[in-house]
């Protein structure tokens, strides 16, 4: 078994992270009190540990193996914040731009996380980068839409600063209004990281009646107005339509701006909500009411003044996997203000349609999934601008990949010619019954984030709600990490088929089984049936004595190392897996290799 | 990473048996034997068998002597009774315990040293008395605990780790037991749980002394080239004479089905509790109910350097120690004191009978 792909997939969190953040290693560094090292390791892949440690959508957590063991994943995201909060001054350990430039000029449009990541990866390689930003600050939606009670401005300033201070030529308050004109300036490459800036409309009867223009808002615009101080208060009764990220930030902002009754209204039932469970909990903690199965029908006015909205109440049912609904009745819910938070669209009015940049469905540009290249060779897209709204960590990953492509493009190499993922595997055996890692695999409850008291919270929009973990919480939570990157590694020719590993494995991962042609058949006759098809089986080479196979179901392995500990021949070993992710900087050395 | 404590964590899908217990409930302390020891696999097979049979742990007594093998009673059924006796005395101690309380299930675990050297006399008499117990002889051909000296089970020519060959003839516990009139004689291999688990179950159901000689390699002192008790040698020389299925007595088995079962294999033996041991024909003509033939067959295998495995002989018609001695069926501890110790007058009356 030498395929990096198998080992990579075992590290569930890292595999689920769009940017392949090395979670277990950064948690181990936290456990060792090496906060700066942990921060820097995070930064290699996700670039904004302080920001993401507070705001990430954390696809890693639902994937976390711990969740399959005792029901709750490791608090990966908030531990990232611990590293960020407790790090020393690391400015002298950050990558620097060389004084000698490489002669290539790149334009970035928009100062959101995707563009900033491109700058982060390319500045150290000697590129001259000009960044155009419509607004007066860097960060994109992270700055203008994510409220300060979730993400303090100081954190944004610091982490965007690390990149821009490498010498990016930033043009704030400069909107790019013509792509044609920009291209005419002769940049070697242009990266479009302008986001998905248009909030979706809800064209129902009454949308433009009476005082609608004052009291019906588009969510992301309204949040922007709150950020810039154009909106400083709300009427008492606020309805939020939609139940995604934006709705959650709108309802909680409204509570801080004086609303006393805030209701979030959703068409579907809770399991189908876009907002994450923890966001819903946070909103409910602030006495926001969440209504399921209500479809908006019309805006209700009295004497030209919005007084409520009418909804159809739906009953959903499922036939052949398809959801359908019937209307049970209608209801009018009173309100003074409505905020529409039902999604975002892309819009590129400033990209001329005849300059070789093709557009497909939904006003989205035609962009190569791997290289981020548009149909015009020197133009690349990433972040929400490429395929519609996603999240920060995806924007970062897009930035990394686009940087590789831009770098290739500028060196005259096809953007599709990319280095594969590679890995290092090193044994962690450090003596008799001693292994160079530590985890507590027995069931343990997840650390609970403490929050600012409700009474203090609403005193201002910028009072951060989450207080971070205490030292004690951090110490136990890092031990909950199973160290999935310390992987079982098998050497068939050493095995004497004594069964010791099979017998000792506390979660029945291992079986010595007769070979088969059918993996699905094999899955039924293991020590425990392997029912989680998203998790791979490991199959060894035929074993020396009987020709049977060592089979491991990776699903529930807690990386306790007992199989290796009880193996008399070290056929099982615990090895540290290190994923080597090729960034633009590595691509550089590959070019050198090619040249040699 | 911990290498000592037994993890609490278990597979979330662990099944429960009829008593509502999981396999974890039949486990014991973390083994302190060498990694890869065959004895640990035997332990795992025992755990599996007890769980499958819905054995109530508090109705079992684990008996052992001295040796690595004898230590293994600590590694299963932590909630059972037990007695760790001196070297070789386990059969006698178990005979006594069984005499006092026939209601417990007795599981004796021993080694080739414990049983065939110092304890040979004890073993012989337990067989002769037909003490109702499962007797698991974890046979690795050496004294493991004392660092690998040849035992009475070592074959001629089998070499020590340093290369010295054994020159003394071995005692084959199965041939011995057949000779002494044992009513259940089996041999298996720690590396073959598919075979071992049903044999253990059948042995536990047997109404009398059930011997299982389990080849259980010692990874540290007897698993090298030149050893005749290594994993590799055993796999290369194993000849399965019978393959047994244990069919427990469950209400789901109708009498008609049971009758059918009794005819569809070469041999099916009905155990005294109604469960069945059904043999599939793996060795043409072998009849596990014929003692003389069994002895001859096993002896011929031995001469060919083959390791005969399976249930080698079974006779469910034998009478156990209590039946022969016509003892009281109530455990002594449950007898009222007046019955247990009727006093000097009762003794005098008895003595008069013999005068
Ligand atoms: C309310 C809300 C809450 C969210 N919360 C989270 C969260 O908690 N976690 C998470 O991971 N994601 C969250 N997201 C999503 C996340 O913010 C975005 O996916 C991410 O910021 C997209 O990054 P980007 O690089 O594509 O650009 P954006 O962040 O969208 O930034 C684009 C930038 O381009 C500028 N720009 C646009 N057009 C031009 C132009 N023509 N010329 C010059 N500049 C231009 C804009 O001013 C902006 O600064 C949230 C989104 C919203 C709306
Ligand atoms: C009376 C007495 N004599 C000798 C010993 C030393 N001794 C301890 S274990 C053992 C042999 C054990 O061999 P075996 O029963 O085969 O067990 P194994 O360790 O091989 O499983 C001996 C001779 C002892 N403990 N007590
Ligand atoms: S590390 Fe080995 S013993 Fe532990 S859970 Fe994984 S496979 Fe089982
Ligand atoms: S413990 Fe080692 S030698 Fe024994 S079966 Fe497992 S891998 Fe093979
Ligand atoms: S010395 Fe041999 S018999 Fe004893 S525990 Fe080690 S491997 Fe098993
Ligand atoms: Mg021995």
């Amino acid at each position: 078994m030498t395929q990096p792909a198998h080992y990579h997939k075992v590290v569930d969190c890292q595999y689920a992270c769009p940017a392949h953040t090395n979670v277990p290693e950064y948690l181990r560094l936290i456990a060792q009190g090496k906060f700066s090292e942990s921060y820097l390791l995070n930064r290699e892949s996700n670039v904004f540990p302080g920001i993401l440690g507070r705001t990430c959508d954390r696809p890693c957590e639902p994937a976390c193996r711990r969740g399959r063991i005792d029901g709750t994943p490791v608090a990966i995201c908030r531990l990232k914040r611990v590293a960020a909060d407790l790090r020393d001054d690391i400015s002298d350990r950050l990558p620097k731009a060389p004084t000698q430039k490489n002669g290539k000029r790149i334009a970035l449009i928009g100062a959101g996380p995707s563009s900033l990541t491109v700058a982060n990866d390319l500045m150290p390689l000697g590129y001259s980068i000009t960044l155009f930003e419509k607004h007066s600050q860097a960060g994109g939606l992270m700055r203008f839409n994510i409220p300060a009670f979730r993400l303090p401005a100081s954190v944004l300033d610091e982490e965007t600063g690390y990149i821009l201070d490498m010498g990016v030529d930033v043009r704030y308050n400069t909107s790019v209004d013509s792509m044609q004109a920009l291209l005419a300036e002769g940049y070697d490459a242009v990266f479009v990281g302008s986001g998905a800036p248009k909030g979706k409309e809800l064209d129902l009867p009454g949308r433009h009646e009476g005082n609608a223009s004052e009291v019906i808002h588009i969510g992301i615009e309204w949040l922007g107005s709150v950020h810039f101080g154009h909106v400083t208060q709300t009427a008492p009764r606020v309805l939020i339509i939609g139940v995604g990220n934006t709705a959650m930030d709108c309802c909680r902002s409204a509570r801080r701006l004086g609303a006393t009754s805030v209701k979030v209204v959703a068409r579907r039932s809770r399991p189908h909500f876009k907002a994450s469970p923890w966001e819903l909990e946070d909103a409910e903690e602030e006495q926001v009411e969440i209504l399921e199965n209500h479809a908006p029908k019309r805006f209700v006015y009295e004497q030209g003044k919005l007084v409520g909205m009418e909804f159809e109440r739906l009953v959903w049912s499922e036939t052949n996997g398809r959801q359908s609904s019937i209307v049970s009745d209608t209801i009018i819910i009173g309100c003074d203000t409505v905020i529409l938070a039902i999604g975002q669209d892309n819009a590129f009015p400033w990209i001329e349609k005849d300059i070789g940049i093709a557009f497909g469905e939904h006003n989205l540009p035609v962009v190569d999934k791997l290289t981020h290249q548009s149909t015009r060779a020197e133009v690349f897209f990433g972040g929400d601008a490429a395929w519609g709204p996603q999240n920060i960590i995806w924007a970062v990953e897009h930035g990394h990949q686009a940087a590789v492509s831009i770098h290739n493009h500028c060196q005259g190499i096809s953007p599709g010619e990319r280095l594969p993922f590679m890995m290092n595997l090193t044994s962690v055996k450090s003596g008799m019954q001693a292994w160079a890692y530590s985890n507590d695999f027995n069931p343990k409850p997840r650390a609970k984030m403490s929050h600012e008291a409700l009474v203090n919270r609403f005193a201002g929009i910028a009072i951060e709600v989450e207080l971070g973990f205490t030292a004690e919480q951090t110490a136990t939570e890092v031990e909950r990490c199973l160290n999935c990157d310390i992987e079982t590694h098998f050497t068939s020719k050493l095995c004497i088929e004594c069964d010791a590993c099979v017998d000792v494995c506390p979660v029945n991962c291992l079986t010595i089984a007769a070979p088969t042609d059918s993996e699905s058949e094999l899955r039924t006759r293991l020590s425990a049936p392997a029912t989680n098809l998203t998790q791979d089986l490991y199959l060894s080479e035929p074993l020396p004595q009987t020709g049977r196979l060592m089979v491991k179901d990776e699903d529930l392995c807690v990386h306790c190392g007992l199989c290796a500990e009880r193996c008399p021949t070290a056929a099982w070993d615990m090895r540290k897996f290190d994923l080597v992710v090729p960034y633009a900087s590595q691509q550089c050395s590959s070019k050198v290799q090619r040249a040699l | 990473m911990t290498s000592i404590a037994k993890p609490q964590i278990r597979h979330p899908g662990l099944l429960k048996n009829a008593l509502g217990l999981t396999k974890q409930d039949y486990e014991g302390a973390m083994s302190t034997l060498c990694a890869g020891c065959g004895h640990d696999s035997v332990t795992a097979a025992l755990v599996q068998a007890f769980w499958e049979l819905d054995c109530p742990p508090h109705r079992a007594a684990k008996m052992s002597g001295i040796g690595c093998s004898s230590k293994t009673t600590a590694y299963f059924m932590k909630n059972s009774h037990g007695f760790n006796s001196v070297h070789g005395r386990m059969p006698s101690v178990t005979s006594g315990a069984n005499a006092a309380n026939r209601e417990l299930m007795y599981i004796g675990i021993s080694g080739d040293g414990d049983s065939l050297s110092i304890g040979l006399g004890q073993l012989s008499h337990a067989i002769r008395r037909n003490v109702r117990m499962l007797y698991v002889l974890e046979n690795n051909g050496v004294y493991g605990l004392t660092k690998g000296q040849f035992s009475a089970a070592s074959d001629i020519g089998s070499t020590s780790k340093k290369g010295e060959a054994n020159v003394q003839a071995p005692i084959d516990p199965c041939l011995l037991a057949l000779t002494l009139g044992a009513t259940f004689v089996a041999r298996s291999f720690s590396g073959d749980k598919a075979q071992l688990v049903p044999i253990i179950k059948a042995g536990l159901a047997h109404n009398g002394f059930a011997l299982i000689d389990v080849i259980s390699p010692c990874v540290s002192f007897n698993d090298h080239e030149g050893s005749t008790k290594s994993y590799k040698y055993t796999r290369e020389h194993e000849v399965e004479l019978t393959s047994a299925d244990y069919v427990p007595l469950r209400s789901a088995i109708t009498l008609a089905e049971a009758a059918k079962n009794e005819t569809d294999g070469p041999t099916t033996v009905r155990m005294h509790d109604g469960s069945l041991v059904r043999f599939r024909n793996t060795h043409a003509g072998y009849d596990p109910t014929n003692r003389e033939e069994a002895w001859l067959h096993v002896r011929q295998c031995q001469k060919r350097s083959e390791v005969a495995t399976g249930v080698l002989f079974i006779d469910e018609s034998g009478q156990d120690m209590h039946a022969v001695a016509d003892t009281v069926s109530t455990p002594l501890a449950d007898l009222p004191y007046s019955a247990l110790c009727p006093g000097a007058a009762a003794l005098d009356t008895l003595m008069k009978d013999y005068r």
Side-chain angles (χ1 to χ4, degrees):
Chain A
M1 176 63 61
T2 49
Q3 290 303 311
H6 182 91
Y7 292 89
H8 182 20
K9 209 173 160 191
V10 169
V11 193
D12 291 290
C13 48
Q14 187 177 26
Y15 191 73
C17 175
H20 319 293
T21 301
N22 189 346
V23 175
E25 177 70 5
Y26 90 64
L27 295 183
R28 261 193 310 274
L29 288 168
I30 294 174
Q32 294 161 12
K34 295 181 179 163
F35 304 112
S36 301
E37 286 72 14
S38 179
Y39 181 86
L40 289 166
L41 177 70
N42 260 289
R43 203 181 171 282
E44 273 178 33
S45 50
N46 59 52
V47 187
F48 305 104
I51 295 171
L52 287 163
R54 293 168 167 86
T55 61
C56 190
D57 265 354
R58 25 176 155 155
C60 53
E61 291 193 12
C64 172
R65 179 175 299 268
R66 185 92 212 184
R68 302 197 293 276
I69 301 299
D70 64 9
T72 48
V74 176
I76 299 169
C77 182
R78 294 315 188 249
L79 286 168
K80 195 192 312 292
R81 173 177 165 181
V82 169
D85 286 354
L86 302 184
R87 75 187 190 274
D88 302 323
D89 181 4
I90 44 89
S91 26
D92 60 338
R93 298 166 74 175
L94 293 170
K96 308 259 173 329
T99 40
Q100 174 85 43
K101 293 287 171 187
N102 71 3
K104 305 284 182 184
R105 294 164 56 240
I106 316 289
L108 309 179
I109 304 172
S114 60
S115 291
L116 289 168
T117 303
V118 176
N120 178 69
D121 287 8
L122 294 184
M123 283 305 291
L125 302 182
Y127 287 90
S128 303
I129 296 184
T130 311
L131 171 59
F132 299 95
E133 168 55 52
K134 187 157 70 178
H135 291 299
S136 57
Q137 290 161 305
L141 289 181
M142 307 191 295
R143 172 87 66 176
F144 312 123
N145 264 6
I146 297 184
F149 59 83
R150 284 210 289 134
L151 178 57
S154 57
V155 176
L156 273 162
D157 291 340
E158 210 167 19
E159 293 193 330
T160 56
Y162 288 155
I163 298 166
L164 300 177
D165 293 348
M166 280 191 282
V168 178
D169 174 11
V170 194
R171 312 275 176 85
Y172 286 123
N173 303 309
T174 309
S175 175
V176 174
D177 295 324
S178 161
M179 184 63 135
Q180 193 161 27
L182 184 74
L183 289 169
E185 290 177 34
Y187 288 99
D188 293 286
V190 173
F191 176 79
V192 183
S194 57
K198 222 176 75 181
K200 279 205 166 95
E201 257 302 347
L202 186 63
D203 274 323
L204 290 177
R207 171 65 183 90
H208 299 291
E209 245 178 79
N211 63 344
S213 63
E214 292 144 46
V215 296
I216 303 178
H217 308 285
I218 304 273
I220 63 167
E221 289 169 9
W222 184 78
L223 287 169
S225 306
V226 172
H227 170 80
F228 289 112
H230 305 322
V231 170
T232 53
Q233 62 184 63
T234 64
R237 296 176 307 159
V238 179
L239 281 190
I240 317 280
I241 310 299
V243 68
N245 284 136
T246 310
M248 292 299 107
D249 285 339
C250 289
C251 66
R252 297 178 71 195
S253 296
R255 285 289 282 133
R256 285 159 175 77
L257 299 180
T260 46
S261 153
V262 181
K263 294 187 169 72
V264 173
V265 193
R267 278 180 69 87
R268 308 289 306 272
S269 63
R270 207 157 172 126
H272 301 277
F273 289 180
K274 270 200 177 155
S276 348
W278 57 85
E279 288 181 300
L280 296 166
E281 274 167 32
D282 290 349
E284 287 179 325
E285 181 180 304
E286 297 178 359
Q287 285 112 39
V288 169
E289 200 181 329
I290 297 172
L291 301 174
E292 311 171 282
N293 307 325
H294 282 62
K297 200 170 172 219
R298 66 182 177 99
F299 297 89
V300 183
Y301 293 83
E302 269 170 24
Q303 285 129 29
K305 187 170 167 282
L306 181 76
V307 292
M309 266 193 93
E310 189 176 5
F311 294 88
E312 291 176 342
R313 289 206 285 200
L314 305 180
V315 179
W316 291 91
S317 57
E318 195 184 296
T319 30
N320 303 331
R322 279 186 68 98
Q323 300 272 334
S324 59
S325 63
I326 51 160
V327 178
S328 68
D329 58 357
T330 63
I331 180 178
I332 292 178
I333 300 176
C335 67
D336 310 307
T337 290
V338 173
I339 300 175
L340 304 175
I342 50 174
Q344 287 158 257
D345 281 326
N346 289 51
F348 300 97
W350 49 275
I351 300 183
E352 292 80 357
K353 301 296 164 235
D354 56 354
I355 53 172
I357 303 174
F359 280 81
E361 279 175 28
H362 310 298
N363 285 330
L364 289 173
V366 176
V367 180
D368 184 86
K369 272 278 175 196
L370 177 70
T371 64
H372 293 253
Q373 196 170 34
S374 73
T375 52
R376 183 163 169 148
E378 77 272 37
V379 178
F380 299 83
F381 284 77
D384 292 356
W387 297 289
Q390 279 177 297
N391 56 27
I392 303 170
I393 192 67
W394 269 114
V396 168
E397 174 59 8
H398 289 178
H400 285 311
Q401 295 308 323
V404 170
S405 302
I406 292 170
H407 186 48
N408 275 5
H409 175 75
C410 291
Q411 313 294 315
I413 302 168
S414 157
E417 225 179 278
R418 303 166 98 83
L419 289 177
F421 279 21
M422 289 168 288
M423 67 166 173
N424 291 317
L425 274 182
T426 351
S427 178
V428 294
K429 189 158 180 74
S430 61
M432 277 286 274
Q433 305 201 323
W435 301 85
Y437 71 105
S438 147
N439 64 13
D440 183 357
F441 39 79
N442 287 322
K444 271 268 152 55
R446 173 180 162 115
K448 195 165 161 35
M449 176 58 64
S450 37
H451 286 175
E452 183 62 65
L454 275 176
V455 281
N456 304 335
R457 218 181 274 186
F458 297 145
I461 190 91
I463 294 173
E464 190 169 17
V465 171
E466 294 191 354
L467 301 176
F469 284 146
T470 63
E472 292 74 20
Q473 283 180 307
T474 302
T476 46
E477 193 61 24
V478 286
E479 278 286 293
R480 290 185 75 234
C481 171
L482 297 166
N483 291 274
C484 300
D485 65 332
I486 311 288
E487 301 201 27
T488 56
H489 178 274
F490 190 69
T491 309
S492 298
K493 65 173 192 293
L494 295 179
C495 177
I496 57 170
E497 299 172 58
C498 69
D499 276 358
C501 54
V502 176
D503 294 338
V504 82
C505 177
V507 281
N508 308 82
C509 294
L510 305 176
T511 311
I512 298 181
T516 177
D517 294 331
S518 150
E519 191 189 294
S520 55
E521 181 273 328
L522 184 60
R523 278 178 175 269
T524 63
R525 59 170 162 98
L526 301 179
S527 298
T531 50
N532 184 351
L533 300 181
T534 67
Q535 291 284 319
D536 287 347
L537 292 188
Y538 163 79
L539 302 182
S540 74
E541 301 287 301
L543 300 178
Q545 292 191 13
T546 64
R548 295 177 298 169
L549 309 180
M550 178 65 77
V551 183
K552 180 184 176 205
D553 177 8
E554 295 287 0
D555 186 20
L556 294 175
C557 171
V558 292
H559 297 253
C560 62
L562 286 174
C563 50
E565 179 68 41
R566 295 302 290 169
C567 177
T569 65
W572 280 117
D573 189 19
M574 299 306 287
R575 297 204 180 166
K576 182 171 181 300
F577 161 77
D578 230 330
L579 183 71
V580 182
V581 179
Y583 295 110
S585 51
Q586 273 95 352
Q587 210 70 18
C588 182
S589 45
S590 82
K591 161 116 168 112
V592 176
Q593 276 170 7
R594 226 188 312 272
L596 286 173
Chain B
M1 154 93 237
T2 162
S3 52
I4 307 300
K6 189 124 188 170
Q8 299 154 21
I9 180 99
R10 281 298 180 279
H11 193 286
L14 272 194
L15 299 177
K16 292 191 168 156
N17 66 10
L19 297 180
L21 301 178
T22 65
K23 265 205 305 196
Q24 187 177 13
D25 298 315
Y26 290 87
E27 291 175 7
M30 186 65 134
S31 169
T32 55
L33 301 183
C34 302
C37 177
H39 303 348
D40 281 336
S41 285
V42 180
T43 298
L46 286 163
V47 166
Q48 177 77 27
F50 295 133
W51 177 78
E52 287 180 10
L53 288 177
D54 310 319
C55 294
H58 67 288
R59 303 303 297 156
K62 308 174 295 179
M63 315 298 286
S64 64
I66 298 294
C68 297
S69 36
S70 294
K71 286 174 73 179
T72 62
T73 46
Y75 311 141
F76 62 88
M77 288 215 284
K78 54 186 172 294
N79 295 320
S80 298
H81 306 278
F83 196 102
N84 186 206
S85 78
V86 286
H87 202 16
R89 270 54 178 172
M90 180 274 281
S92 319
V93 173
T94 311
S95 303
N98 190 317
N101 185 348
R102 61 161 81 177
E103 287 186 353
L104 295 182
M105 181 171 81
Y106 292 93
I107 301 113
I109 312 280
S110 181
D112 46 323
D114 194 58
S115 287
L116 303 179
S117 298
I118 192 167
L120 188 66
Q122 331 277 318
L123 168 63
S124 302
H125 286 282
I127 294 174
R128 186 179 141 267
R129 291 196 178 101
N130 205 14
V131 178
R132 184 162 187 203
M133 70 182 295
L134 177 71
Y135 195 106
V136 179
L137 196 163
E138 298 180 348
N139 188 344
N140 53 17
V142 286
Y143 297 167
L145 191 70
T146 53
K147 298 208 176 325
Q149 300 84 352
F150 290 129
S151 76
S154 303
D155 293 311
I156 292 177
S158 184
T159 63
S160 72
K161 218 172 170 181
K162 284 196 171 152
E164 199 183 327
N166 176 44
V167 293
Q168 309 243 37
I171 298 172
D172 179 327
C174 293
L175 290 177
L176 175 78
L178 285 168
T179 309
L180 293 173
T183 46
F184 185 106
V185 180
R187 179 151 38 223
S188 188
F189 171 41
S190 68
D192 186 358
K193 287 200 194 69
Q195 184 194 55
L196 179 55
V197 172
I199 292 181
I200 291 173
K201 291 185 349 187
L204 286 168
H206 178 62
N207 183 28
F209 187 94
L211 174 77
I212 311 177
D213 176 34
V214 187
I215 308 301
S216 174
C218 170
V219 273
S220 294
F221 301 112
N222 207 13
D223 195 42
H224 43 266
E225 283 292 322
S227 158
T228 60
K229 293 277 190 295
S230 67
Y231 283 105
K232 190 157 179 276
Y233 183 94
T234 308
R235 288 203 164 97
E236 284 167 356
H237 293 79
E238 184 184 352
V239 174
E240 193 178 48
L241 292 186
T242 64
S243 163
D245 281 335
Y246 176 76
V247 187
L249 178 71
R250 292 262 158 78
S251 46
I253 307 183
T254 62
L255 279 178
E257 261 178 90
K260 176 172 150 277
N261 279 332
E262 279 177 47
T263 56
D264 73 355
T267 318
T268 296
V269 175
R270 180 184 283 276
M271 310 303 278
H272 84 294
D273 66 358
S275 57
L276 305 174
V277 178
R278 196 191 318 154
F279 296 90
R280 275 177 288 117
N281 207 347
T282 51
H283 203 265
Y286 189 81
D287 176 6
T289 60
N290 181 328
R291 184 184 298 272
E292 288 68 32
E293 228 181 77
W295 193 94
L296 196 64
H297 229 100
V298 174
R299 174 75 190 119
Q300 281 166 348
C301 286
Q302 191 192 45
K303 275 170 75 182
R304 291 194 297 269
S305 297
E306 290 171 359
V307 182
T309 62
V311 174
L312 304 175
F313 176 71
I314 185 168
D315 171 11
E316 201 53 15
S317 67
Q319 288 195 303
D320 88 324
M321 174 176 75
H322 286 282
V324 171
D326 193 20
T327 52
V328 61
S329 60
T330 313
L332 301 190
D334 293 343
L335 285 178
Y337 187 75
S338 55
L340 187 65
C341 199
L347 181 63
D348 285 344
T349 319
L350 182 71
M351 291 306 280
K352 256 183 222 144
D353 288 354
Y354 296 113
R355 288 210 174 93

